[in-house]
Amino acid sequence: MPKGSESESRKLLGRLRDTLAEEGAGQERLDRITSIIAGSMGTDVCSIYLLRDAETLELCATEGLNKAAVHQTRMRIGEGLVGRVARRKRPINAPDAPSERGFRFMPETGEEIYTSFLGLPIQRLGETLGVLVVQSKDERRYSEDEVYALEVVAMVLAEMTELGAFQGEGAAMSARHIQQALFRGGIAQEGAAEGQVYLHEPRVVVTNPIADDPHAELKRLQDAMRTLRGSVDEMLGSMGKNSDKEQVKVLEAYRMFANSRSWVRRMEEDIALGLSAEAAVEKEQSATRARMENVPDAYLRERLHDLDDLSNRLLRLLTGQGQDTGAEIPENPILVAKNIGPGELLDYGKKLKGIVLEEGSVGSHAAIVARAWAIPLVINAKRILTEALNGDQILVDGDQGIVHLRPEESVAAAFRDKIAMQTEAQQRYASIREKPATSLDGTTVSLHMNAGLMADLPSLESSGAQGVGLFRTELQFLTRARVPRRSELATIYGSVLDAAKGKQVVFRTLDIGSDKVLPYMKPTEEPNPAMGWRAIRVGLDKRGVMRMQLQALIRAAQGRPLLVMFPFVAQFDEFREARQQLLDELDREEKMGHVMPSDVKIGAMLETPSLAFAPRQFFEMADFISIGGNDLKQFFFAADRENERVRKRYDTLNVSFLTFLEQIVARCDATNTPVSFCGEDAGRPVEAMCFAAMGLRSLSMRPASIGPVKSLLRRVDLAEVKDVIDTARGTGDQSVRAAIMDYLTGRNGKP
Ligand code: PEP
Ligand code: MG
């Protein structure tokens, strides 16, 4: 072929498409494709290597190399020139391959007679699917035009692979999106669920990578670009004079990309070589993603991210596949996403049966929402988005952090047995619902539940909780597009109290900042938001919102008892000021003639180590204290609760942490200040038992944990548990977990 000429390239793509349309097994198609490419490009060899699994490439078809090596020759990603192309996601153009760094000779292929080598990644949206290689006997460097033409071919191969063109009888590759797949991730919420995949952001599928009429495709691209630019202009236009300058800047950069000539020119060139408009967008998007991975500069990476985002919009415009694809939410939806914020998650409501995230973290508020809903959540399930399709059958094992996609029937059957066993356990817990959590040695621990939504309240009765020990008020703020009005809040809080039917509810004032960013609040750039301007710090600096919330709480009480606690208090003064603010509001409301609560108790959350060492007067002034173990543990160990890598290093049953809790309990006991623990660890039976042994008599947890925690507490002697902890503390062990587990398994067979 006159190398790289447009008409030749289009001819080649046309022949590839014909091959695709022909009857035949996956292998035959792949064989024909290598032969067509070698013929058109005038090379001695054309080979296609496809990914067998995340680590291994396999020679799947070849023209020119020894055919017996097909499906025999394999290499790891990064190994040899082919493996390096896959790892670097960049072409290698080597006139004298054997002298190239990393070259590995594969004797079974008979490739020793070939000198030059050109390898290109077959990739889709930055994800490598395989490698396309051409080789020749003579020493030659392939021209830029040839490389470019082959890139276009590789793009088409990627789409064909994605569409399953090489699967079926005599499959050339393992069938993506058909075979069962297993993912190991992290445990963020226990439980088991079976259902169908529901993608938070479904991927766009390009079904027509090759086009006959470049003029028509160019016009489609231009039309879509015009619409895209129009919508970005509209976004900018709708920003008022008082809009956040940062946000305007970001949108302006966005507009700049939408108008980028070089981006459009590259796509136009792809179309001229025979790609459809959407395939051209995707080809450039793949290139952007590959670049994104290699850019060390965060700012530049962000900008490339903008481009990625624009490409997605463009793809959705061209294919008509919207963000909301109209895909029906299946009957038992399991949400699969890269990551998700608490607000977006709440938008789905309680219909989800489980959640699987490619990223995510145990301490995030999305995880807390999942916990409140008592649905399994598996995080860090790498690559699940490249495999899962809407509607696929999926099993989520939140106890082990395992996800089965498209499972075989035997796996699904075993899984159903497990669910049945859990249901049985739930029935057992129901039988002790009305009984107290009294240990064998007669210590009673009161068990409360954590809540944040009206929808949580029915669990108060079904779980047997004595009250709501923590009502996180920020969830109402996170689910709205604007600050809720005082009257709205008063109605909600009033309904919460109504639903609690006289059981105690502890309202925590707004804890925003950190990972809870309100959509309508101007985002503040903070180097470390978890230790930044959040919770009571915002409340005290910006009094308006806190005042409004306190008034709403007072009005909601309507003659009933009111319990309020302030989050993230780090020093006495903060508590004193916040408390005074509530007292002032009570005064004011009374003067205005509103009905006063019958009783007011004002508490503090102990979430920073500093507060444990506050003056005695703080403990005297606080009506109660609630230990926010999620934050307390992160600051005690200086280990980010959202960073899985460091979070897992520090066991909650670590001797230092348990001793610290013991000291907090002692300080509270000295002033007769009621103390409870409301972090997530309170919902883990073994941890809860140890907290009780350290002197805590009140725990607040997600509703589904009440049964398991109570069941264990009723079966142990807390004085014995304390002895085991004390002995283990004396041995110099870092954690008492091993000793505790030995004790439990020795006693009962299992915890
Ligand atoms: C905590 O920190 O333990 C807590 C209960 O508060 P949150 O998880 O909402 O930060
Ligand atoms: Mg907290």
Side-chain angles (χ1 to χ4, degrees), residues 16 27 41 65 82 99 144 155 173 181 252 308 315 368 377 399 405 409 448 451 522 550 601 622 657 665:
L16 291 183
Q27 185 65 52
M41 300 294 295
L65 294 186
V82 174
S99 66
E144 264 182 38
M155 160 74 201
M173 60 174 297
E252 274 168 354
D308 191 61
L315 273 177
I368 286 169
L377 166 61
D399 301 325
L405 192 65
E409 197 37 47
H448 303 258
K522 187 174 152 193
L550 293 174
K601 293 230 178 316
F657 192 60
V665 172

Side-chain angles (χ1 to χ4, degrees), residues 365 472 508 511 516 534 567-568 605 607 628-632 641:
H365 283 82
R472 289 183 168 98
R508 174 179 81 179
D511 179 1
K516 290 173 275 196
R534 59 174 281 203
F568 215 62
M605 284 194 74
E607 307 188 85
N630 307 336
D631 276 313
L632 185 64
R641 66 192 256 189

Side-chain angles (χ1 to χ4, degrees), residues 155-231:
M155 160 74 201
V156 171
L157 285 178
E159 292 304 328
M160 288 173 153
T161 309
E162 186 70 11
L163 292 173
F166 311 128
Q167 294 161 1
E169 209 188 323
M173 60 174 297
S174 61
R176 285 165 63 80
H177 300 155
I178 294 176
Q179 286 198 336
Q180 72 160 338
L182 182 142
F183 302 86
R184 279 178 206 285
I187 303 164
Q189 169 54 38
E190 291 87 355
E194 176 175 6
Q196 296 84 39
V197 168
Y198 189 68
L199 295 170
H200 179 47
E201 282 185 327
R203 53 206 276 157
V204 172
V205 183
V206 175
T207 49
N208 58 334
I210 304 163
D212 286 328
D213 182 354
H215 298 294
E217 294 303 308
L218 269 179
K219 174 145 187 345
R220 288 182 64 227
L221 179 70
Q222 283 156 0
D223 288 349
M225 282 304 297
R226 205 169 306 117
T227 312
L228 178 75
R229 287 177 187 138
S231 67

Side-chain angles (χ1 to χ4, degrees), residues 653-663 693-694 722-736 739:
L653 302 188
N654 180 299
V655 167
S656 316
F657 192 60
L658 284 184
T659 306
F660 185 45
L661 290 182
E662 188 179 40
Q663 288 173 2
M694 299 321 278
K722 178 70 173 23
D723 279 349
V724 175
I725 292 176
D726 285 344
T727 310
R729 280 202 280 191
T731 62
D733 282 354
Q734 194 166 273
S735 164
V736 305

Side-chain angles (χ1 to χ4, degrees), residues 114-136:
Y114 304 110
T115 310
S116 61
F117 171 103
L118 169 61
L120 304 104
I122 300 172
Q123 57 181 334
R124 187 171 186 274
L125 299 184
E127 179 210 351
T128 304
L129 304 176
V131 176
L132 171 66
V133 174
V134 292
Q135 290 171 282
S136 296

Side-chain angles (χ1 to χ4, degrees), residues 8-125:
E8 283 302 320
S9 168
R10 278 207 298 279
K11 237 185 255 166
L12 169 56
L13 292 193
R15 291 177 68 192
L16 291 183
R17 186 179 45 193
D18 294 345
T19 310
L20 194 63
E22 279 166 17
E23 286 287 312
Q27 185 65 52
E28 277 169 40
R29 283 183 172 162
L30 215 50
D31 288 342
R32 272 187 59 73
I33 285 174
T34 51
S35 134
I36 292 170
I37 298 173
S40 300
M41 300 294 295
T43 58
D44 299 316
V45 175
C46 171
S47 311
I48 293 174
Y49 298 78
L50 293 174
L51 217 54
R52 260 193 81 76
D53 53 47
E55 301 283 310
T56 324
L57 287 157
E58 178 177 299
L59 175 63
C60 284
T62 185
E63 174 70 27
L65 294 186
N66 188 351
K67 297 259 188 216
V70 170
H71 297 307
Q72 302 303 319
T73 293
R74 291 188 187 153
M75 67 275 303
R76 293 175 73 76
I77 302 250
E79 185 188 2
L81 294 187
V82 174
R84 280 180 64 204
V85 171
R87 163 157 298 164
R88 294 169 44 190
K89 300 181 180 173
R90 279 203 301 264
I92 291 184
N93 187 353
D96 181 15
S99 66
E100 193 74 9
R101 193 164 68 90
F103 177 79
R104 210 193 107 208
F105 171 52
M106 308 265 187
E108 72 277 14
T109 62
E111 67 177 342
E112 64 274 17
I113 52 172
Y114 304 110
T115 310
S116 61
F117 171 103
L118 169 61
L120 304 104
I122 300 172
Q123 57 181 334
R124 187 171 186 274
L125 299 184

Side-chain angles (χ1 to χ4, degrees), residues 408-696:
E408 278 175 7
E409 197 37 47
S410 58
V411 176
F415 193 80
R416 281 177 205 129
D417 285 348
K418 186 182 158 119
I419 295 184
M421 270 165 59
Q422 285 184 347
T423 313
E424 215 177 283
Q426 286 302 334
Q427 282 160 358
R428 252 199 338 271
Y429 300 142
S431 70
I432 54 168
R433 187 172 47 210
E434 305 306 327
K435 303 211 164 110
T438 305
S439 65
L440 294 178
D441 55 331
T443 306
T444 301
V445 181
S446 58
L447 305 183
H448 303 258
M449 65 172 238
N450 294 347
L453 301 167
M454 261 316 285
D456 296 328
L457 269 296
S459 304
L460 197 48
E461 202 154 315
S462 59
S463 68
Q466 284 168 260
V468 176
L470 163 67
F471 190 91
R472 289 183 168 98
T473 56
E474 52 278 2
L475 295 181
Q476 271 82 36
F477 285 74
L478 282 165
T479 46
R480 282 176 171 65
R482 51 170 184 79
V483 183
R485 279 194 298 270
R486 182 178 54 197
S487 57
E488 252 180 289
L489 287 180
T491 308
I492 294 169
Y493 301 150
S495 313
V496 170
L497 289 171
D498 293 345
K501 297 191 187 124
K503 286 186 177 177
Q504 140 190 325
V505 179
V506 180
F507 288 99
R508 174 179 81 179
T509 61
L510 203 53
D511 179 1
I512 45 162
S514 190
D515 70 329
K516 290 173 275 196
V517 183
L518 300 183
Y520 40 84
M521 247 185 88
K522 187 174 152 193
T524 39
E525 275 290 318
E526 288 192 296
N528 193 339
M531 293 202 279
W533 196 55
R534 59 174 281 203
I536 192 68
R537 301 171 181 179
V538 180
L540 290 173
D541 291 354
K542 291 241 173 245
R543 305 241 162 176
V545 176
M546 186 146 101
R547 262 188 69 183
M548 184 270 284
Q549 192 183 24
L550 293 174
Q551 289 162 0
L553 283 166
I554 297 166
R555 290 181 195 184
Q558 285 279 345
R560 292 172 283 195
L562 177 63
L563 288 97
V564 176
M565 66 180 173
F566 296 105
F568 215 62
V569 176
Q571 56 182 7
F572 184 19
D573 273 357
E574 286 166 345
F575 177 67
R576 210 176 352 217
E577 272 182 55
R579 179 176 175 275
Q580 191 54 51
Q581 212 171 317
L582 174 52
L583 296 177
D584 291 348
E585 290 315 320
L586 280 163
D587 254 6
R588 204 162 296 146
E589 292 288 299
E590 189 166 25
K591 283 193 190 116
M592 286 169 72
H594 288 288
V595 184
M596 285 291 98
S598 60
D599 180 32
V600 178
K601 293 230 178 316
I602 310 174
M605 284 194 74
L606 196 155
E607 307 188 85
T608 61
S610 62
L611 201 62
F613 302 95
R616 183 183 168 92
Q617 287 78 355
F618 159 71
F619 290 90
E620 284 167 352
M621 183 180 280
D623 291 324
F624 63 94
I625 281 169
S626 189
I627 300 173
N630 307 336
D631 276 313
L632 185 64
K633 198 175 150 203
Q634 99 166 322
F635 296 114
F636 186 71
F637 289 112
D640 187 344
R641 66 192 256 189
E642 300 220 26
N643 180 340
E644 285 305 298
R645 203 173 197 170
V646 297
R647 186 192 64 81
K648 280 198 279 206
R649 291 177 81 93
Y650 306 100
D651 190 359
T652 303
L653 302 188
N654 180 299
V655 167
S656 316
F657 192 60
L658 284 184
T659 306
F660 185 45
L661 290 182
E662 188 179 40
Q663 288 173 2
I664 295 170
V665 172
R667 291 215 68 190
C668 292
D669 284 352
T671 47
N672 277 328
T673 314
V675 56
S676 70
F677 187 108
C678 68
E680 299 302 304
D681 284 321
R684 301 194 170 94
V686 175
E687 278 80 344
M689 178 192 74
C690 293
F691 295 164
M694 299 321 278
L696 280 155

